Amino acid sequence: MKNQRDASPVIRLAGMAILGLFIALAAAAYLGGREVKRSSELITTDAVPGTIAAHYMRMAMSRSIGWVMVAASAETPQSRDASLKTVHDADVAFTNAVKEYETTIKINPAQDRALLARVTGAYAEFYRQRMAYEALILAGNRDRSAALLERNVVPAYVAVIQPAEELIKYNHANSITYANQIRDSVYRLYWAVAVVMVLALICVAVLVVNFAIRRREITELRESEELFRTSFESATVGVCLVATDGRFINVNRTLCDMLGYAKEELLRLTFSEITHEEDREVGTTFLTKALSGGPKSMQMEKRYLHKEGRIVWALLSTALVEQSREHGGFVISYVQDITERKRAVEQLEMLKVSIDQHFDAAYWMDAGNRFVYVNDSACKALGYAREELLGKPLSMIAPDATPHVLEEVWKRLRETGFFTREGMHRRKDGSLFPVELVASYVRFEGKEFNCGFARDITERKRAQDELIWKTALLEAQVDSTLDGILVVDTMGRKILQNHQFIGMFKVPEEIVRDDDDAKLLRHAINQMKNPGQFTERVTYLYAHPDEIGSDEIELADGRVFDRYSAPVRDQAGKRYGRIWMFRDITGRRKLEEQFRQSQKMEAVGQLASGVAHDFNNILSVIQLQSELLKSDGGLSAKQKEYAADIGDSAQRAAALTRQLLLFSRKEKMQTRALDLNQCINDLTKMLRRTLGEHVQLQFRFAMQSLIVRADPGMMDQVLMNLVVNARDAMPKGGDLIIKTAAVELDELAAAQFPLSRPGSFVCLSVSDAGCGIPSEIMPKIFEPFFTTKEVGKGTGLGLATVFGIVQQHQGWISVRSEVGRGTTFEVYLPLVSGADDGKETRNSWKTVAGGNETVLLVEDEYALRTVIRTTLVRLGYRVLEAGTGAEALKTWDRHQSEIALLLTDLVMPGGMTGKELAESLLQKEPKLKVIYLSGYSPDTANQDFKLEEGVNFFTKPFQTHKLAQAIRDKLDKLT
C-alpha cells in the first residue's frame, strides 16, 4: 500500500511538468505544428498509456502482497479465503496491465520489451514465492509462513518493484522527450493552437487518471485495514503489535483475557512490564539484534505476569516488520497459552521421580522387548547400572523369556490390557531370585510398550514352600483315598476338596476354584435323582452341626454313593466345620444286581432243564400224531392244513423250549446257512394269526436272497418276539412293517452304532406305529424280566431273548423310537455267501421206504411210544416195545435173534439209561444198529460218545419221515 500511495504525488508532479511544457510549446507552436501533432500522438498512444499500464502493474503487485499478509492473520477460513481471492484478482489485474502495455509499444519496441520482460520475470518469481507462502497459510503453519514471508516473499516483492519503477521512469522519460519536441515546435505559430489543445487534453487525462488511482487506493486501503482489524481481534491466540520502544500499539481480546488486563490497560504498558523478570532480557536482546540487521523472527517459551500476579506460560512467535527508514517498524507477536501443558509436564516429572524411588522394580519395554526405562529399585535388585540395562533385551535378566513366552505375553497384554505372573530374574552376578510380575499395556505416540513392576518374593516363596511342605502329607493322604472328601468351615466356605470328590461329582473348574459352598451344593443337587431328599438331609445336618449322618444317595446317571458327614472338632471340642465323605458303591450295587440276575437265570435254567424232557415228549406226540393225521386219506385239504399247522406249532414250541435252554446256557444253538426272506415267509401265516385283524402286516423284502448263518428256530423266535412286542404297542391297531435289506457298513457308518463293525450285513427291521418308548426307560428294555406291561401280560424275557440271540449270532440290535410316533427295531446279522443248505421240505413219511425188520422201541412215555410204534408198523416194521431198560433186556432175551435195530430214549426211569442199555446189548450183538432219542440236543445230552443229529440221534420232537429215513439208512448199512 505504501508504494501505491507514493504513486499519486509522482503522477501529479508529472502532470504539472507536462502542463509547463504545454505552455512553453504553445509559444513556439507555429514552429513545430506537425512535430507537435506527431509528439502528441506518441504521448497518447505510447507514453501515457504505458505509464498508466506500468502504474497498474505496480498497484497490482502492492495489492497482492498486502492481501496475502492479511490472509495470513485471518481468524476464520472464510476471511482467509476472501483475502486470497483479492490476491488472485490482483494477479489478473497485473496480467491485464501487461497486455495493455504491450499495445502501447511504438517507438523503441526492443527497449520497451526488454524492460517489460524484466518486470514479468521478476513478478513470476514473486508469484512463485507468494504461492508457497499461501500454501503454508492454508496448511495453518504460521511459524513457517512467517519465516518464508521474511526470507523469500518480501525480497521477491522488492525485486519486482525495482524494474517496475524503471519502466515507469522510462515511460516518463519518453513523455518528457515528446514534450521537448512539442516545445521546439511551439515556435511554429501556425501549429501553436493545435499543440496547446493537445497538451491541454493530455493534462486533463493525467489528472483524471491520478484522481481514479487515488480513489481506488483509498478504497482498498480502507478494506485492507478493516480485514486486518477483524482478523486481529478474532484470533484464538493472543496477538499484539509492539513498537520498537516496547510500547504496545495494539492488542487483541484473547491476549487481554490471557493476562487479565483491559485493552486500555495494556496499551499503557510495555512488554517488559508484563514479562517475568528472568525472561525480559531475551525479548530486549531479540529486538536489538533485529533492528541491527539480525534475525527478524523468533519463537520461544516465555513467562508472562498475570494481572493477579500468577505466572502464565506462553509459546511466543514474534517477528519484526520494517516499514521505512522514516517510519521505522514494529513487532508483531503471537502468544499461545501453554500453562496447562507445562503443568502436565511437571506432573509427569513428579510421577517419574516417584516411580524412580518406588521400592518395587519398575520398567518400560518396547515392542522389541528391550528396556527403555528402569527405576533405581530395578538397578539395585539386579545389580546393574541404568546405562547397562537401557536398550538391552529382557532375556538378559529373565531366563524364561523365550520368544514363545514373550509372544504369549504380548498377546495377553493386547487382549486384556494387563498381565500378572510369577517368574525368575537373574542378577548381574548370575544368581536367580523369584519375582511377582504385574505388566500393563501402554500405547504412547503410536508405539506399544510393556509397563510393569517386579517384586522380589523370595521371602514369600520361602514361607509358601514351608507351608506346602507341612500340608503335603495331609493332602497326599486325602488325595490318595478312594473316597470323595469335602471339608467346609462353620460359615459354609470350602476348606478342602480332594480330586476324588471333584471327579465323582464332575465339578467344573470354576466351581472348584470358588470357595462358596452354595455353588457347589447347587451343582450337586442338579445331579441327584431325588434333589429334594438330598437337600433336606444337607439342610438338616447344617442346622444340627453336632450330628453325624450316614445314608445312601442315588444320582440321576444311575451311580450310587454312600454319604457320611460329621463335625470337625479339635481336642478341646471346638468346632471348625463339617467333613463330608462320599464312597462310590455303584460297582457293588451292580455286582449285587448281577448276582440276583444270575440267580434268576439259574432258576430259569433249572426250571427249563427240568421240564424240557417231559415237554419235548409231549411235543413229539403232537408232532407225530399230526403227521399220522395228515397221512390219512379221508381228510379234506383244509383239515390237512390244520394238521400241518399243528405240526408247525409243535416245532416252534420245541424251538421255544430250546431257546429257554439256550438262555440259561443249558442248550447250544444249531446253525446253518438259511435265507432270511424265506424264513420270514414261512412264518407269515403264524404271524397273521398272532397279530389279529386290527394290525395290518406289511412285508418289504430285499430283491436278492439274504443268506445268514443262524439257528432257524432262533430266527423264528426273534421275529415272533419283535412282532408281538409291536402288536402290544398298538392296542388300537395300525401298520406293522417287516423289512429286509442288505447293507454295507464302512468305518464311518459303523461308528454310528455302539456294537457294530464294518462289513456286509443283513438288516431285519420291524416298525410299528404305536405309543413309542420313553427315553428314560430306553436303556432298560433289553434287561431280563424288565417289562412295562401289566402283571400277567408280560414276562420281561421277550426283548432280552432277542438281544441274546442276536449277540450269539455275532450281530447287534438298534432301536429308534419317538413317543406317540412309533418304534423301529433293526437287527443286523452278518451276510454270508452261498445258498440255503438246509431248506426244509414237507415230505410225507409215506414216501420213505419201509421194511420188515424187527425194531426194539424203548421209551418210557407211553403216548410217544405208541405213536412211534404206529408209524413204524405202517412202514412195515415189526415193533417190540419196552418202557424201561430192564423191560428192554427181558424183551432182548426173548427175541435176540430177531431184533435188527434198537430205538431207545437216552433218559429213562428205572436206573438204566439208553446208553447203558445199548452198551449192554452191543456186547451181546456187536452188529446191532442203534438210534437214540432225547428231549435234549446232542451237545447237551451229557454223553461221552458221538451223537450225530439225524443219523444216530434225534431231538424230540422230530419229523416222522426223517426218523423213518434214518432207520432205513441204518438197516441198509453193512456195518
Side-chain angles (χ1 to χ4, degrees):
M1 288 298 180
K2 176 174 73 68
N3 293 325
Q4 285 185 348
R5 288 193 293 269
D6 291 343
S8 295
V10 174
I11 293 175
R12 286 195 293 272
L13 291 174
M16 293 175 64
I18 292 171
L19 182 59
L21 291 175
F22 288 165
I23 296 172
L25 289 173
Y30 68 98
L31 297 176
R34 291 187 177 275
E35 186 64 23
V36 169
K37 181 179 179 181
R38 178 176 175 276
S39 298
S40 297
E41 290 176 352
L42 291 175
I43 289 175
T44 56
T45 60
D46 186 335
V48 173
T51 301
I52 296 173
H55 276 290
Y56 279 147
M57 293 181 205
R58 182 171 180 177
M59 288 171 59
M61 289 184 287
S62 299
R63 287 175 61 198
S64 175
I65 193 170
W67 281 95
V68 80
M69 292 176 64
V70 172
S73 59
E75 173 62 22
T76 64
Q78 291 80 3
S79 59
R80 180 196 65 202
D81 294 345
S83 300
L84 292 177
K85 183 177 183 305
T86 304
V87 172
H88 298 156
D89 291 341
D91 292 335
V92 174
F94 177 85
T95 302
N96 293 336
V98 171
K99 293 179 179 179
E100 183 65 25
Y101 186 86
E102 289 178 342
T103 61
T104 64
I105 297 175
K106 295 291 192 297
I107 303 301
N108 296 312
Q111 188 173 0
D112 275 346
R113 294 188 186 282
L115 289 172
L116 183 61
R118 287 181 57 197
V119 173
T120 56
Y123 188 84
E125 176 62 19
F126 165 72
Y127 177 80
R128 187 177 67 82
Q129 296 295 339
R130 196 203 69 213
M131 289 303 292
Y133 181 63
E134 285 182 24
L136 292 175
I137 293 172
L138 292 173
N141 195 332
R142 295 189 173 183
D143 297 337
R144 292 183 60 190
S145 63
L148 183 65
L149 176 66
E150 179 183 350
R151 186 177 65 252
N152 294 352
V153 178
V154 172
Y157 171 74
V158 173
V160 75
I161 286 297
Q162 183 178 357
E165 288 179 347
E166 291 179 5
L167 188 62
I168 292 173
K169 291 178 181 180
Y170 166 76
N171 282 278
H172 285 176
N174 284 342
S175 298
I176 293 172
T177 300
Y178 301 148
N180 290 335
Q181 292 176 358
I182 293 172
R183 181 194 59 194
D184 295 337
S185 301
V186 164
Y187 296 109
R188 298 177 179 85
L189 295 177
Y190 59 91
W191 293 107
V193 175
V195 171
V196 169
M197 290 299 293
V198 170
L199 292 177
L201 291 174
I202 292 174
C203 290
V204 172
V206 170
L207 291 174
V208 170
V209 169
N210 179 63
F211 177 77
I213 292 174
R214 182 59 179 167
R215 185 173 181 179
R216 182 182 297 177
E217 289 177 349
I218 293 173
T219 302
E220 291 177 352
L221 180 60
R222 288 175 179 173
E223 292 175 352
S224 177
E225 290 176 347
E226 179 63 24
L227 182 60
F228 177 76
R229 186 188 66 79
T230 302
S231 302
F232 184 86
E233 290 295 336
S234 59
T236 57
V237 297
V239 183
C240 62
L241 303 179
V242 183
T244 55
D245 59 0
R247 291 179 298 100
F248 286 106
I249 300 173
N250 197 2
V251 295
N252 69 347
R253 171 64 62 185
T254 303
L255 184 62
C256 295
D257 295 340
M258 188 188 304
L259 299 178
Y261 289 95
K263 184 173 184 178
E264 295 74 14
E265 292 176 320
L266 276 180
L267 293 178
R268 290 195 295 269
L269 301 174
T270 64
F271 77 88
S272 296
E273 292 177 296
I274 63 170
T275 301
H276 192 276
E277 58 183 358
E278 295 179 4
D279 296 336
R280 290 172 185 168
E281 184 178 353
V282 178
T284 305
T285 302
F286 161 72
L287 186 57
T288 302
K289 291 182 178 180
L291 292 172
S292 302
K296 299 297 190 292
S297 62
M298 175 187 69
Q299 188 178 63
M300 63 174 292
E301 290 184 358
K302 180 179 179 181
R303 288 167 289 182
Y304 285 98
L305 298 177
H306 195 273
K307 185 177 180 179
E308 297 176 354
R310 57 186 173 87
I311 295 175
V312 177
W313 277 95
L315 178 63
L316 174 66
S317 298
T318 185
L320 175 64
V321 179
E322 294 181 316
Q323 290 182 305
S324 64
R325 294 180 179 177
E326 295 80 8
H327 297 88
F330 64 91
V331 176
I332 182 169
S333 299
Y334 296 92
V335 184
Q336 182 179 359
D337 190 346
I338 59 171
T339 305
E340 291 300 323
R341 188 173 75 187
K342 293 291 288 186
R343 186 177 293 113
V345 171
E346 291 176 357
Q347 291 175 351
L348 287 175
E349 185 63 27
M350 293 174 62
L351 178 61
K352 179 179 179 300
V353 172
S354 64
I355 294 177
D356 276 339
Q357 299 177 1
H358 198 277
F359 65 92
D360 284 336
Y363 61 86
W364 277 56
M365 289 187 302
D366 59 18
N369 299 300
R370 294 184 177 275
F371 291 109
V372 297
Y373 166 80
V374 290
N375 69 347
D376 294 337
S377 296
C379 297
K380 182 178 179 181
L382 297 170
Y384 288 97
R386 182 178 276 107
E387 294 74 17
E388 292 178 294
L389 289 173
L390 294 180
K392 299 299 188 299
L394 175 63
S395 57
M396 186 175 77
I397 67 162
D400 59 345
T402 62
H404 175 71
V405 171
L406 293 175
E407 182 179 352
E408 289 297 321
V409 169
W410 277 104
K411 180 180 179 182
R412 181 81 174 273
L413 287 175
R414 294 184 181 106
E415 290 176 352
T416 64
F418 69 95
F419 183 75
T420 60
R421 73 182 187 97
E422 292 184 359
M424 299 294 292
H425 277 181
R426 180 169 50 217
R427 298 185 181 92
K428 187 176 182 180
D429 60 9
S431 60
L432 298 174
F433 63 98
V435 293
E436 181 182 53
L437 302 170
V438 180
S440 300
Y441 180 78
V442 177
R443 192 171 186 86
F444 181 69
E445 293 185 351
K447 298 179 180 179
E448 292 181 313
F449 294 94
N450 176 354
C451 174
F453 292 88
R455 175 172 295 180
D456 188 341
I457 56 173
T458 302
E459 292 301 322
R460 185 203 301 178
K461 282 292 185 181
R462 185 179 294 112
Q464 289 177 349
D465 292 341
E466 183 178 354
L467 179 61
I468 292 172
W469 180 83
K470 289 181 178 179
T471 58
L473 179 61
L474 175 61
E475 290 181 352
Q477 292 175 338
V478 171
D479 279 333
S480 63
T481 181
L482 297 178
D483 296 333
I485 297 177
L486 170 68
V487 182
V488 298
D489 62 15
T490 55
M491 301 301 294
R493 294 186 297 266
K494 289 186 296 184
I495 299 175
L496 182 146
Q497 56 189 352
N498 68 350
H499 294 297
Q500 186 68 11
F501 173 82
I502 295 171
M504 290 172 67
F505 284 94
K506 303 174 183 178
V507 184
E509 184 65 25
E510 59 271 16
I511 298 180
V512 172
R513 293 194 301 265
D514 200 320
D515 294 334
D516 187 4
D517 182 53
K519 293 182 179 179
L520 180 60
L521 179 60
R522 286 194 296 271
H523 175 76
I525 290 173
N526 291 334
Q527 300 185 60
M528 294 297 113
K529 182 177 181 180
N530 191 343
Q533 181 180 356
F534 179 84
T535 306
E536 180 181 354
R537 186 60 179 167
V538 171
T539 304
Y540 175 83
L541 290 176
Y542 275 145
H544 300 79
D546 295 326
E547 286 202 23
I548 297 175
S550 178
D551 61 348
E552 292 182 359
I553 57 175
E554 185 174 357
L555 278 68
D557 60 7
R559 291 181 296 158
V560 181
F561 293 167
D562 185 18
R563 175 174 59 181
Y564 173 82
S565 180
V568 178
R569 297 188 182 93
D570 60 13
Q571 294 180 350
K574 182 179 178 181
R575 185 168 48 82
Y576 290 95
R578 176 170 288 275
I579 183 171
W580 298 85
M581 299 181 66
F582 301 87
R583 177 170 295 175
D584 191 341
I585 59 174
T586 307
R588 188 178 73 191
R589 284 291 188 89
K590 288 183 177 179
L591 288 175
E592 293 173 354
E593 182 64 26
Q594 290 174 359
F595 179 70
R596 287 193 293 271
Q597 291 293 343
S598 66
Q599 286 180 320
K600 289 181 182 180
M601 298 310 299
E602 182 68 22
V604 172
Q606 294 294 340
L607 176 63
S609 178
V611 303
H613 183 268
D614 295 338
F615 190 62
N616 280 334
N617 283 338
I618 297 171
L619 292 176
S620 295
V621 174
I622 296 173
Q623 174 74 26
L624 295 175
Q625 290 287 10
S626 68
E627 293 190 11
L628 288 174
L629 185 63
K630 287 189 296 180
S631 66
D632 288 343
L635 296 179
S636 65
K638 195 68 175 178
Q639 290 171 333
K640 289 182 178 180
E641 184 180 348
Y642 293 156
D645 287 345
I646 293 172
D648 292 342
S649 297
Q651 287 290 337
R652 288 184 173 82
L656 178 59
T657 304
R658 189 168 68 253
Q659 181 57 38
L660 284 174
L661 294 174
L662 284 168
F663 199 75
S664 59
R665 302 298 189 266
K666 298 293 184 179
E667 179 71 289
K668 294 183 179 180
M669 62 181 182
Q670 302 171 18
T671 63
R672 64 177 177 84
L674 60 89
D675 186 345
L676 186 61
N677 287 341
Q678 185 62 44
C679 182
I680 298 172
N681 194 54
D682 291 343
L683 201 61
T684 300
K685 289 183 180 180
M686 179 68 70
L687 292 177
R688 293 191 186 278
R689 292 195 183 99
T690 302
L691 293 175
E693 295 181 355
H694 68 294
V695 176
Q696 288 73 46
L697 183 60
Q698 300 179 28
F699 294 95
R700 298 177 183 175
F701 293 131
M703 297 300 295
Q704 72 275 29
S705 296
L706 301 178
I707 307 301
V708 296
R709 179 159 293 280
D711 184 306
M714 290 185 178
M715 290 298 100
D716 291 349
Q717 193 66 34
V718 167
L719 185 59
M720 184 63 72
N721 283 349
L722 291 178
V723 168
V724 170
N725 203 61
R727 179 201 64 188
D728 294 343
M730 300 186 293
K732 295 182 180 180
D735 293 333
L736 193 156
I737 302 172
I738 299 176
K739 180 181 178 182
T740 62
V743 295
E744 189 75 26
L745 299 182
D746 55 14
E747 293 287 348
L748 180 60
Q752 300 177 19
F753 302 98
L755 301 176
S756 66
R757 60 190 182 277
S760 300
F761 298 90
V762 173
C763 176
L764 165 64
S765 67
V766 178
S767 302
D768 64 65
C771 58
I773 304 174
S775 58
E776 59 269 18
I777 69 171
M778 183 72 78
K780 301 180 180 180
I781 61 175
F782 294 114
E783 293 181 3
F785 306 106
F786 176 81
T787 180
T788 58
K789 299 176 183 177
E790 299 177 7
V791 176
K793 292 187 177 181
T795 63
L797 289 175
L799 290 179
T801 299
V802 171
F803 187 82
I805 292 174
V806 173
Q807 280 197 321
Q808 285 178 311
H809 286 79
Q810 289 78 49
W812 71 91
I813 184 169
S814 67
V815 187
R816 292 183 285 108
S817 183
E818 185 176 348
V819 176
R821 301 292 295 275
T823 303
T824 297
F825 284 87
E826 293 180 337
V827 175
Y828 291 85
L829 299 172
L831 178 66
V832 298
S833 59
D836 192 331
D837 60 6
K839 187 173 181 180
E840 296 288 345
T841 58
R842 294 183 177 270
N843 294 328
S844 171
W845 58 272
K846 289 184 176 182
T847 61
V848 181
N852 54 9
E853 292 89 346
T854 300
V855 177
L856 176 58
L857 173 60
V858 185
E859 170 60 54
D860 62 295
E861 183 67 33
Y862 174 75
L864 179 58
R865 188 170 72 243
T866 300
V867 73
I868 295 174
R869 182 196 65 193
T870 302
T871 302
L872 295 179
V873 169
R874 288 188 179 185
L875 289 172
Y877 296 107
R878 180 187 176 201
V879 179
L880 300 175
E881 299 180 54
T884 63
E887 292 180 4
L889 289 175
K890 292 178 181 179
T891 303
W892 173 267
D893 290 339
R894 292 194 300 269
H895 304 282
Q896 176 179 359
S897 61
E898 303 172 18
I899 299 173
L901 183 141
L902 172 66
L903 182 60
T904 180
D905 191 1
L906 272 173
V907 180
M908 294 183 296
M912 178 177 287
T913 66
K915 177 187 176 186
E916 292 171 343
L917 172 62
E919 288 176 346
S920 176
L921 297 181
L922 286 171
Q923 288 178 357
K924 299 176 181 180
E925 179 56 56
K927 295 181 179 181
L928 178 67
K929 312 298 183 182
V930 181
I931 295 178
Y932 298 97
L933 304 176
S934 178
Y936 302 108
S937 68
D939 296 318
T940 56
N942 196 24
Q943 303 298 326
D944 55 359
F945 61 99
K946 184 179 180 181
L947 296 176
E948 188 175 354
E949 180 73 41
V951 178
N952 68 338
F953 178 83
F954 283 87
T955 302
K956 303 173 186 176
F958 47 81
Q959 292 179 326
T960 305
H961 73 278
K962 289 186 177 181
L963 177 61
Q965 186 63 55
I967 292 174
R968 186 68 263 161
D969 292 342
K970 275 286 187 180
L971 292 172
D972 292 340
K973 195 172 183 181
L974 297 179
T975 58

